[in-house]
Structures are given as C-alpha cells and as structure tokens.
Amino acid sequence: MTAAQTTPPENDPGALTPQALRGALGRFATGVTIITCLDGEGRAVGLTANSFASLSLDPPLVLWSLRKASGNRAAFEAAGYFVINVLAETQVDLSRRFAASAQADKFADGVWAPGLGGVPVLAGCAAVFECQAEACHDIGDHLLFIGRVQRLADLAVSPLVFQGGHYRMVGEVL
C-alpha cells in the first residue's frame, strides 16, 4: 500500500455536520426492520428503523434507537415488550408505509398476529425477535432501547437492505 492508500482523506474538522455524518453513515449497509409495541391503551404502534443490532448472545440482548422527537416515544418507553420484524426483500412497501408518520392505519397491510404481550408480529419476515424491554438509555438525540430476546423466528428468505439512502437487494454470496 502506498501512503496515499493508508491515509484517510483530508477533512476539515469544522465540516462535521449532521448532514455530513448522516451521509457517511449511509455508506454502511443495514437491514430494515419494523419495530412494534402496544401503547398504554393497547393500540398497535410501529415504525420503520434500521438502527437495529445484536448486543449479546448470553444473555440474548438486542438494541435499537429512536429519535427523541418521535411521536412514538411514549409508547416505546412504556412498553414491556417490543418486536423487531426484520423485513424480507418483498416487504419494501411495508417499510415505506411504516416510515410515513402520517399513515392512518399502518397495520392495514401485511399479515399480523399477536406475539408476546399481544405485540404485533409480521408474517413473512426474514427474522423476528420478540423482546422483553430490558433498558432504555437517553443518549444524544436518541433513546437506546435494549431488549431481552424471548422468542425468535428465522425464515430462509433474503432480507431487505438499506444503503446510501436507497433500498437494495442482497447480491451474490462472495
């Protein structure tokens, strides 16, 4: 390798803006999820998120984050259970539906069944993690939710991927 290949590109430290950070983070491909819970009155709540990650195998913990300004904040903070539905490539329309905050009845499409605590579980997903809420941490402009996986499902279908501001399909195995 030459010095040019090992040296990071020059950046003006003053150029670190939320937009620049979002653009650089967008280079990292992620899966797409619909995360669901029930609000205090037992109504289904859900949103599209790509901030999902594994945290621990023993105990089985996963995490995801939510903007503090989200209209769904109170429901997820109070929820005893939440479900992370990892979307399949065929579920891009559901991802868009749940990403739209003005959507009237997000659960009108898709095949849903009650999971632990009655929380909606979506059929046909690449994977599903039914979680008991373990912790919620206030960090920066987001809340970090940690869940203890109680049940899971794993379907051998290709997951939906998001990268560079676009939905993508998984390519060939390398």
Side-chain angles (χ1 to χ4, degrees):
M1 287 190 136
T2 66
Q5 292 171 319
T6 60
T7 305
E10 288 191 27
N11 285 324
D12 172 7
L16 181 59
T17 65
Q19 296 80 13
L21 182 59
R22 179 181 214 120
L25 290 170
R27 297 290 166 217
F28 185 70
T30 66
V32 182
T33 67
I34 292 176
I35 302 177
T36 58
C37 73
L38 297 179
D39 69 11
E41 284 148 31
R43 291 182 300 236
V45 173
L47 54 87
T48 299
N50 66 346
S51 62
F52 166 67
S54 65
L55 180 59
S56 169
L57 294 178
D58 187 16
L61 301 174
V62 294
L63 62 85
W64 68 282
S65 65
L66 176 69
R67 280 182 315 110
K68 286 182 187 176
S70 171
N72 297 310
R73 176 180 177 167
F76 281 103
E77 282 183 307
Y81 294 93
F82 58 83
V83 174
I84 299 168
N85 300 279
V86 179
L87 299 184
E89 287 179 347
T90 58
Q91 296 173 315
V92 67
D93 289 338
L94 279 170
S95 174
R96 288 185 174 116
R97 180 180 190 87
F98 277 79
S101 56
Q103 185 68 44
D105 182 7
K106 293 181 178 185
F107 293 90
D109 286 343
V111 177
W112 298 91
L116 291 176
V119 177
V121 174
L122 178 60
C125 290
V128 173
F129 301 90
E130 295 183 61
C131 302
Q132 184 170 11
E134 183 85 7
C136 178
H137 298 283
D138 185 331
I139 308 243
D141 61 358
H142 277 66
L143 297 172
L144 181 65
F145 290 91
I146 298 172
R148 184 177 295 257
V149 179
Q150 302 292 311
R151 285 197 305 215
L152 61 85
D154 181 9
L155 189 61
V157 298
S158 293
L160 182 60
V161 175
F162 193 76
Q163 187 274 325
H166 301 281
Y167 291 102
R168 306 205 185 256
M169 296 186 332
V170 173
E172 294 181 33
V173 175
L174 301 178

